[in-house]
Amino acid sequence: MKARPFYLSIVTERQLASFEAKIDRSGDCWPWTASRCSVGYGKFYIGWRSRGTLRLVGSHRLAWMLAHPTLILTSGDFVCHRCDVKLCCNPEHLFRGTPNDNVQDMMQKGRHRATRGEERSFAKLTESDVRAIRASNELHRALGARYGVTRMTISNIRCGRRWAHVK
């Protein structure tokens, strides 16, 4: 029998009890009821600060590790949700996968939605800007300065390599 992986060997009984108390097992999905990271997954600290072993782990990742103590997760492994509920900690709803497995799962379930143009959070231009750029006879440099983009961006817009969906 293999020794417990490092990340499980630093979990104390007190931490385990605290972890278990923060999971709502009243339904099919077992949502995490405590702190969350910025993208919505549960988070939990294991280990000791005084010994330098304190680690922040995803609650669903720790739930999977506790359910499969003999299997080792590498830093490149994902713990994915079959139920697509970010806070779910039910080990039956979780599976180990690669980043590619995670993307394939998302695509198969139709959760992927490509954003383009103005929908992107960092977009500097609007569709009306793009139409104006294409209609203009000004130099790329002048248009780039006016719209706050590079002249290469202006060139790519005019050639149809960028914002191709805008007619």
Side-chain angles (χ1 to χ4, degrees):
M1 176 127 176
K2 292 181 181 177
R4 288 178 72 171
F6 168 74
Y7 44 78
L8 288 181
S9 65
I10 64 172
V11 179
T12 66
E13 291 300 319
R14 185 175 176 194
Q15 288 171 336
L16 280 176
S18 174
F19 177 76
E20 296 291 333
K22 295 173 181 173
I23 298 173
D24 176 8
R25 289 184 170 81
S26 61
D28 188 37
C29 281
W30 297 353
W32 179 251
T33 61
S35 59
R36 302 170 188 181
C37 67
S38 60
V39 293
Y41 291 95
K43 62 181 183 178
F44 189 75
Y45 284 97
I46 59 175
W48 301 273
R49 180 175 291 149
S50 61
R51 295 184 190 173
T53 60
L54 193 64
R55 301 279 189 272
L56 178 66
V57 296
S59 58
H60 65 291
R61 192 170 174 92
L62 183 56
W64 187 90
M65 289 187 288
L66 292 169
H68 303 92
T70 58
L71 300 177
I72 296 178
L73 285 175
T74 66
S75 61
D77 287 334
F78 279 38
V79 174
C80 307
H81 291 87
R82 286 188 180 91
C83 61
D84 296 331
V85 177
K86 289 181 177 183
L87 294 175
C88 183
C89 292
N90 185 342
E92 292 180 12
H93 295 190
L94 305 173
F95 65 97
R96 179 171 70 178
T98 64
N100 189 45
D101 294 335
N102 199 33
V103 169
Q104 292 301 316
D105 181 57
M106 174 188 67
M107 299 294 273
Q108 289 172 353
K109 293 176 180 174
R111 288 187 289 113
H112 173 68
R113 185 178 162 270
T115 58
R116 61 184 184 181
E118 294 177 55
E119 296 174 343
R120 293 183 181 239
S121 61
F122 52 85
K124 292 184 177 180
L125 301 172
T126 64
E127 289 186 8
S128 61
D129 292 339
V130 171
R131 288 186 190 95
I133 288 167
R134 288 185 178 146
S136 174
N137 290 326
E138 286 184 73
L139 295 174
H140 292 167
R141 183 177 303 138
L143 286 170
R146 180 182 319 149
Y147 289 102
V149 296
T150 65
R151 60 186 179 160
M152 183 56 73
T153 298
I154 300 297
S155 175
N156 286 335
I157 289 170
R158 284 184 164 169
C159 294
R161 287 187 292 267
R162 297 287 182 264
W163 292 80
H165 65 284
V166 176
K167 302 297 178 207

